[in-house]
Amino acid sequence: MTARQALKTIGDLRSGYHYRSAKDLQPGDDAKYRAVQLGSLTEDNQIDWGNLDLIDFKGDPERYLLHDGDVLVPLRGMRMLATLVKQPPDNALVIGQWAILSPHPGLIDSRYLTGYLNHPLMQHRLASLSRGSGISFISMKDLSDMKVHVPSLGRQQQIARVVELRQKERTLIGQLEQLKDKLVNAATMQAAIED
């Protein structure tokens, strides 16, 4: 049986580091933290670990550091797609308008939660929580109170596997289309040259 639970009850939910000015993000002599920001995402909604800016962070970084299996949700912007954190470097620090959820092991599968939050119905729900006339945003309180269906862990893992397979299929179809385009372009260019 599926239970509905508030997001705040299924893991440790916290926000990214809110900086005061761009000076706070300048690399200094002791820059050792890698800044994960909204611009750190690739087109397929993954974190580009190799292109993170180094920053010199003053203060206790622990609440902003990422761990394998964390789920990030942007709190600003047009798309509120969740991102699953996979094998982050030890010094990856979340900067800016993000919610960071570290799911409770044994209660919620990170892959399931990411797929659940990215489902069109949940994206509609997140959009309905958004405020603002220019750039929309979601408050941490509204996000933390949002209800999530939490089926058994076995069912979560089954659902997560189906979502992963669908994403792989999309990637392969995209690669196949690119290869077809290259083949057609090469063949038509060759035909034009030979004419």
Side-chain angles (χ1 to χ4, degrees), residues 7 10-12 14 45-46 66-73 81-88 100-119 148-161 163-164 167:
L7 203 59
I10 61 174
D12 175 31
R14 58 206 187 278
N45 202 43
Q46 302 299 309
L66 286 175
H67 305 283
D68 194 51
D70 283 350
V71 177
L72 292 176
V73 179
L81 291 176
T83 300
L84 176 63
V85 176
K86 300 174 191 171
Q87 301 176 335
I100 312 159
L101 180 72
S102 300
H104 294 312
L107 175 63
I108 192 94
D109 182 287
S110 298
R111 298 168 309 138
Y112 163 78
L113 181 60
T114 304
Y116 181 85
L117 292 173
N118 290 341
H119 189 279
V148 173
H149 286 278
V150 183
S152 70
L153 203 52
R155 178 61 62 108
Q156 290 177 44
Q157 291 164 345
Q158 289 172 340
I159 293 168
R161 183 70 181 136
V163 171
E164 282 177 349
Q167 288 170 341

Coordinates of all heavy atoms in Angstrom, one line a residue, residues 7 10-12 14 45-46 66-73 81-88 100-119 148-161 163-164 167:
L7 N 7.5 15.8 1.9 CA 8.9 15.6 1.5 C 9.8 15.8 2.7 O 10.8 15.1 2.8 CB 9.1 16.7 0.4 CG 10.3 16.5 -0.5 CD1 10.1 15.2 -1.3 CD2 10.4 17.6 -1.5
I10 N 10.8 12.5 4.6 CA 11.4 11.3 4.0 C 12.9 11.5 3.8 O 13.6 10.6 3.3 CB 10.8 11.0 2.6 CG1 11.0 12.1 1.6 CG2 9.3 10.6 2.7 CD1 10.5 11.8 0.2
G11 N 13.4 12.6 4.4 CA 14.9 12.8 4.3 C 15.2 14.1 5.0 O 14.4 14.8 5.4
D12 N 16.5 14.4 5.0 CA 17.0 15.6 5.5 C 16.9 16.7 4.3 O 17.6 16.5 3.3 CB 18.5 15.4 5.9 CG 19.2 16.7 6.3 OD1 18.4 17.6 6.8 OD2 20.4 16.9 6.1
R14 N 17.3 20.5 3.0 CA 17.9 21.8 3.3 C 18.1 22.6 2.0 O 18.0 22.1 1.0 CB 19.3 21.5 4.0 CG 20.2 20.7 3.2 CD 21.2 19.9 4.1 NE 22.2 19.3 3.4 CZ 22.1 18.1 2.8 NH1 20.9 17.4 2.9 NH2 23.0 17.5 2.1
N45 N 20.2 17.1 -17.8 CA 19.9 17.3 -16.4 C 20.8 16.5 -15.5 O 20.4 16.1 -14.4 CB 18.4 16.9 -16.1 CG 17.9 17.6 -14.9 OD1 18.1 18.8 -14.7 ND2 17.2 16.8 -14.0
Q46 N 22.1 16.4 -15.9 CA 23.1 15.9 -15.0 C 24.1 17.0 -14.6 O 24.2 18.0 -15.2 CB 23.9 14.8 -15.8 CG 23.0 13.6 -16.3 CD 22.3 12.9 -15.2 OE1 22.9 12.5 -14.2 NE2 21.0 12.7 -15.3
L66 N 27.5 17.9 -1.1 CA 26.7 16.8 -1.7 C 27.2 15.4 -1.4 O 28.4 15.2 -1.3 CB 26.6 17.0 -3.2 CG 25.8 18.2 -3.7 CD1 25.9 18.3 -5.2 CD2 24.3 17.9 -3.3
H67 N 26.3 14.5 -1.3 CA 26.6 13.1 -1.1 C 25.9 12.2 -2.2 O 24.9 12.6 -2.7 CB 26.2 12.6 0.3 CG 26.8 13.5 1.4 ND1 28.1 13.4 1.8 CD2 26.3 14.5 2.1 CE1 28.4 14.3 2.7 NE2 27.2 15.0 2.9
D68 N 26.5 11.1 -2.5 CA 25.9 10.2 -3.4 C 24.5 9.8 -3.0 O 24.2 9.5 -1.8 CB 26.8 8.9 -3.5 CG 26.4 8.1 -4.7 OD1 26.4 8.6 -5.8 OD2 26.2 6.9 -4.5
G69 N 23.5 10.0 -3.9 CA 22.1 9.7 -3.6 C 21.3 10.9 -3.2 O 20.1 10.8 -3.1
D70 N 21.9 12.0 -3.0 CA 21.2 13.2 -2.7 C 20.3 13.6 -4.0 O 20.7 13.2 -5.1 CB 22.1 14.4 -2.4 CG 22.7 14.4 -1.0 OD1 22.2 13.5 -0.2 OD2 23.6 15.2 -0.7
V71 N 19.2 14.3 -3.7 CA 18.4 14.8 -4.8 C 18.3 16.3 -4.7 O 18.0 16.8 -3.7 CB 16.9 14.2 -4.7 CG1 16.0 14.7 -5.8 CG2 17.0 12.6 -4.8
L72 N 18.6 16.9 -5.9 CA 18.5 18.4 -5.9 C 17.3 18.8 -6.7 O 17.0 18.3 -7.7 CB 19.8 18.9 -6.7 CG 21.1 18.8 -6.0 CD1 22.2 19.3 -7.0 CD2 21.2 19.6 -4.7
V73 N 16.6 19.9 -6.1 CA 15.5 20.4 -6.8 C 15.7 22.0 -6.9 O 15.9 22.6 -5.9 CB 14.2 20.2 -6.0 CG1 13.0 20.8 -6.7 CG2 13.9 18.7 -5.8
L81 N 13.1 20.5 -12.6 CA 13.5 19.1 -12.7 C 14.4 18.7 -11.6 O 15.4 19.4 -11.4 CB 14.1 18.8 -14.1 CG 13.2 18.8 -15.3 CD1 14.0 18.6 -16.6 CD2 12.1 17.8 -15.2
A82 N 14.1 17.6 -11.0 CA 15.0 17.1 -9.9 C 16.2 16.4 -10.6 O 16.1 15.9 -11.7 CB 14.3 16.1 -9.0
T83 N 17.3 16.5 -9.9 CA 18.6 15.9 -10.3 C 19.1 14.9 -9.3 O 19.2 15.3 -8.1 CB 19.7 17.0 -10.6 OG1 19.2 17.9 -11.6 CG2 21.0 16.4 -11.1
L84 N 19.4 13.7 -9.7 CA 20.0 12.7 -8.8 C 21.5 12.9 -8.8 O 22.2 13.0 -9.8 CB 19.7 11.3 -9.3 CG 20.3 10.2 -8.6 CD1 19.8 10.1 -7.1 CD2 20.0 8.8 -9.3
V85 N 22.0 13.0 -7.6 CA 23.5 13.2 -7.4 C 24.2 11.9 -7.4 O 23.8 11.0 -6.6 CB 23.8 14.0 -6.1 CG1 25.3 14.1 -5.9 CG2 23.1 15.3 -6.1
K86 N 25.1 11.7 -8.4 CA 25.8 10.4 -8.5 C 27.3 10.7 -8.4 O 27.9 11.5 -9.2 CB 25.6 9.8 -9.9 CG 24.1 9.5 -10.2 CD 24.0 9.0 -11.6 CE 22.5 9.0 -12.0 NZ 22.4 8.7 -13.5
Q87 N 27.9 10.0 -7.4 CA 29.4 10.1 -7.2 C 30.0 11.5 -7.3 O 30.8 11.8 -8.1 CB 30.1 9.1 -8.2 CG 29.6 7.7 -8.1 CD 30.2 6.8 -9.1 OE1 30.6 7.3 -10.2 NE2 30.3 5.5 -8.8
P88 N 29.5 12.4 -6.4 CA 30.1 13.7 -6.4 C 31.5 13.7 -5.8 O 31.9 12.8 -5.0 CB 29.2 14.5 -5.5 CG 28.7 13.5 -4.5 CD 28.6 12.2 -5.3
I100 N 18.1 20.6 -1.3 CA 18.9 19.4 -1.2 C 18.2 18.4 -0.3 O 17.9 18.8 0.8 CB 20.3 19.7 -0.7 CG1 21.0 20.9 -1.3 CG2 21.2 18.5 -0.8 CD1 22.1 21.5 -0.5
L101 N 17.9 17.3 -0.8 CA 17.3 16.2 0.0 C 18.2 15.0 0.0 O 18.5 14.5 -1.0 CB 15.9 15.8 -0.6 CG 15.2 14.8 0.2 CD1 14.7 15.4 1.5 CD2 14.0 14.2 -0.6
S102 N 18.5 14.7 1.3 CA 19.3 13.4 1.5 C 18.2 12.4 2.0 O 17.9 12.5 3.2 CB 20.4 13.6 2.5 OG 21.3 14.6 2.1
P103 N 17.7 11.5 1.2 CA 16.7 10.6 1.6 C 17.1 9.6 2.7 O 18.3 9.3 2.8 CB 16.4 9.8 0.3 CG 16.9 10.6 -0.8 CD 18.1 11.3 -0.2
H104 N 16.1 9.3 3.6 CA 16.4 8.3 4.6 C 16.6 6.9 4.0 O 15.6 6.5 3.3 CB 15.2 8.3 5.6 CG 15.1 9.5 6.4 ND1 16.1 10.2 7.0 CD2 14.0 10.3 6.7 CE1 15.7 11.3 7.7 NE2 14.4 11.3 7.5
P105 N 17.7 6.3 4.2 CA 17.9 5.0 3.6 C 16.8 4.0 4.1 O 16.4 4.0 5.3 CB 19.3 4.5 4.1 CG 19.9 5.8 4.6 CD 18.8 6.7 5.0
G106 N 16.4 3.1 3.3 CA 15.4 2.1 3.7 C 13.9 2.7 3.6 O 13.0 1.9 3.7
L107 N 13.8 4.0 3.4 CA 12.4 4.5 3.3 C 12.1 5.0 1.9 O 11.1 4.7 1.3 CB 12.3 5.7 4.2 CG 11.0 6.5 4.1 CD1 9.8 5.6 4.5 CD2 11.0 7.8 5.0
I108 N 13.1 5.6 1.2 CA 12.9 6.2 -0.1 C 14.1 5.9 -1.0 O 15.2 6.2 -0.5 CB 12.5 7.7 -0.1 CG1 11.9 8.2 -1.4 CG2 13.6 8.5 0.4 CD1 10.5 8.1 -1.5
D109 N 13.9 5.5 -2.2 CA 15.0 5.2 -3.1 C 15.2 6.6 -3.9 O 14.2 7.1 -4.4 CB 14.6 4.1 -4.1 CG 15.6 3.8 -5.1 OD1 15.8 4.6 -6.0 OD2 16.2 2.7 -5.0
S110 N 16.4 7.0 -3.9 CA 16.7 8.3 -4.6 C 16.3 8.3 -6.0 O 15.9 9.3 -6.5 CB 18.2 8.6 -4.5 OG 18.6 8.7 -3.1
R111 N 16.6 7.2 -6.7 CA 16.2 7.1 -8.1 C 14.7 7.2 -8.3 O 14.2 7.9 -9.2 CB 16.7 5.8 -8.8 CG 18.3 5.7 -8.7 CD 18.7 4.3 -9.0 NE 18.0 3.3 -8.2 CZ 17.5 2.2 -8.7 NH1 17.7 1.8 -10.0 NH2 16.9 1.3 -7.9
Y112 N 13.9 6.6 -7.5 CA 12.5 6.7 -7.5 C 12.0 8.1 -7.3 O 11.2 8.6 -8.0 CB 11.8 5.7 -6.5 CG 10.4 6.1 -6.2 CD1 9.4 5.7 -7.1 CD2 10.0 6.8 -5.1 CE1 8.1 6.0 -6.8 CE2 8.7 7.1 -4.8 CZ 7.7 6.7 -5.7 OH 6.4 7.0 -5.5
L113 N 12.6 8.7 -6.2 CA 12.2 10.1 -5.9 C 12.5 11.1 -7.0 O 11.6 11.9 -7.3 CB 12.9 10.6 -4.6 CG 12.5 12.0 -4.1 CD1 11.0 12.1 -3.8 CD2 13.3 12.3 -2.9
T114 N 13.6 10.9 -7.6 CA 14.0 11.8 -8.8 C 13.0 11.6 -9.9 O 12.4 12.6 -10.4 CB 15.4 11.5 -9.3 OG1 16.3 11.7 -8.2 CG2 15.8 12.5 -10.4
G115 N 12.7 10.4 -10.3 CA 11.7 10.1 -11.3 C 10.3 10.6 -11.0 O 9.6 11.1 -11.8
Y116 N 9.9 10.4 -9.7 CA 8.6 10.8 -9.2 C 8.5 12.3 -9.4 O 7.5 12.8 -9.9 CB 8.4 10.4 -7.8 CG 7.1 10.7 -7.2 CD1 6.0 9.9 -7.3 CD2 6.9 11.9 -6.4 CE1 4.8 10.2 -6.8 CE2 5.7 12.2 -5.9 CZ 4.6 11.4 -6.1 OH 3.4 11.7 -5.5
L117 N 9.5 13.1 -8.9 CA 9.4 14.5 -9.0 C 9.5 15.1 -10.4 O 8.9 16.1 -10.7 CB 10.6 15.2 -8.1 CG 10.5 15.0 -6.6 CD1 11.8 15.5 -6.0 CD2 9.2 15.6 -6.0
N118 N 10.1 14.3 -11.3 CA 10.1 14.7 -12.7 C 9.0 14.2 -13.5 O 8.9 14.6 -14.7 CB 11.5 14.2 -13.3 CG 12.6 15.0 -12.7 OD1 12.5 16.1 -12.2 ND2 13.8 14.4 -12.9
H119 N 8.1 13.5 -13.0 CA 6.9 13.0 -13.7 C 6.0 14.2 -14.1 O 6.0 15.2 -13.3 CB 6.1 12.1 -12.8 CG 4.9 11.4 -13.5 ND1 3.7 12.0 -13.7 CD2 4.8 10.2 -14.1 CE1 2.9 11.2 -14.4 NE2 3.6 10.1 -14.6
V148 N 4.3 13.2 -1.1 CA 5.0 12.3 -2.0 C 4.4 10.9 -1.7 O 4.3 10.5 -0.6 CB 6.5 12.3 -1.8 CG1 7.2 11.2 -2.7 CG2 7.1 13.7 -2.1
H149 N 4.1 10.2 -2.8 CA 3.6 8.8 -2.6 C 4.9 8.0 -2.3 O 5.8 8.0 -3.1 CB 2.9 8.3 -3.9 CG 1.5 8.8 -4.1 ND1 0.5 8.3 -3.4 CD2 1.1 9.9 -4.8 CE1 -0.6 9.0 -3.7 NE2 -0.3 10.0 -4.5
V150 N 4.8 7.2 -1.3 CA 5.9 6.3 -0.9 C 5.5 4.9 -0.8 O 5.0 4.4 0.2 CB 6.5 6.8 0.5 CG1 7.7 5.9 0.9 CG2 6.9 8.3 0.5
P151 N 5.5 4.2 -2.0 CA 5.2 2.7 -1.9 C 6.3 1.9 -1.3 O 7.3 2.5 -0.8 CB 5.1 2.4 -3.4 CG 5.9 3.4 -4.1 CD 5.9 4.6 -3.3
S152 N 6.2 0.6 -1.2 CA 7.2 -0.2 -0.6 C 8.5 0.0 -1.4 O 8.6 0.4 -2.6 CB 6.8 -1.7 -0.7 OG 6.9 -2.1 -2.1
L153 N 9.6 -0.2 -0.7 CA 11.0 0.0 -1.3 C 11.1 -0.9 -2.6 O 11.7 -0.4 -3.6 CB 12.1 -0.3 -0.3 CG 13.4 0.3 -0.5 CD1 13.3 1.8 -0.7 CD2 14.3 0.0 0.6
G154 N 10.6 -2.1 -2.5 CA 10.7 -3.0 -3.7 C 10.0 -2.4 -4.9 O 10.5 -2.4 -6.0
R155 N 8.8 -1.8 -4.7 CA 8.0 -1.2 -5.7 C 8.7 0.1 -6.3 O 8.8 0.3 -7.4 CB 6.6 -0.8 -5.2 CG 5.7 -0.1 -6.2 CD 5.4 -0.9 -7.5 NE 4.7 -2.1 -7.1 CZ 3.5 -2.4 -7.4 NH1 2.7 -1.5 -8.0 NH2 2.9 -3.5 -7.0
Q156 N 9.3 0.9 -5.3 CA 10.1 2.0 -5.7 C 11.2 1.7 -6.7 O 11.4 2.3 -7.7 CB 10.7 2.7 -4.5 CG 9.7 3.4 -3.6 CD 10.4 4.0 -2.4 OE1 11.4 4.6 -2.5 NE2 9.8 3.8 -1.2
Q157 N 11.9 0.6 -6.4 CA 13.0 0.2 -7.2 C 12.6 -0.3 -8.6 O 13.2 0.0 -9.6 CB 13.8 -0.9 -6.4 CG 14.6 -0.3 -5.2 CD 15.1 -1.4 -4.3 OE1 14.7 -2.6 -4.3 NE2 15.9 -1.0 -3.4
Q158 N 11.4 -1.0 -8.6 CA 10.8 -1.4 -9.9 C 10.5 -0.2 -10.8 O 10.8 -0.1 -12.0 CB 9.6 -2.2 -9.7 CG 9.8 -3.6 -9.1 CD 8.6 -4.3 -8.8 OE1 7.5 -3.7 -8.6 NE2 8.6 -5.6 -8.7
I159 N 9.9 0.8 -10.2 CA 9.5 2.0 -10.9 C 10.7 2.8 -11.4 O 10.8 3.2 -12.5 CB 8.6 2.9 -10.0 CG1 7.2 2.2 -9.7 CG2 8.4 4.3 -10.6 CD1 6.4 2.9 -8.6
A160 N 11.7 2.9 -10.5 CA 12.9 3.6 -10.8 C 13.6 2.9 -12.0 O 14.2 3.5 -12.9 CB 13.9 3.6 -9.6
R161 N 13.6 1.6 -12.1 CA 14.2 0.8 -13.2 C 13.5 1.1 -14.5 O 14.2 1.3 -15.5 CB 14.2 -0.7 -12.8 CG 14.9 -1.5 -13.9 CD 16.4 -1.3 -13.8 NE 17.0 -2.1 -14.8 CZ 18.0 -1.7 -15.6 NH1 18.5 -0.5 -15.5 NH2 18.5 -2.5 -16.6
V163 N 11.9 3.8 -15.3 CA 12.2 5.2 -15.7 C 13.6 5.2 -16.2 O 13.9 5.9 -17.3 CB 12.1 6.1 -14.4 CG1 12.6 7.5 -14.8 CG2 10.6 6.3 -14.0
E164 N 14.6 4.5 -15.6 CA 15.9 4.5 -16.1 C 16.0 3.9 -17.5 O 16.7 4.4 -18.4 CB 16.8 3.7 -15.2 CG 17.3 4.4 -14.0 CD 18.1 3.5 -13.0 OE1 18.2 2.3 -13.3 OE2 18.7 4.1 -12.1
Q167 N 14.8 6.4 -20.0 CA 15.7 7.4 -20.3 C 16.9 6.9 -21.2 O 17.3 7.6 -22.1 CB 16.3 8.0 -19.0 CG 15.3 8.8 -18.2 CD 15.8 9.1 -16.8 OE1 16.7 8.5 -16.2 NE2 15.2 10.1 -16.2

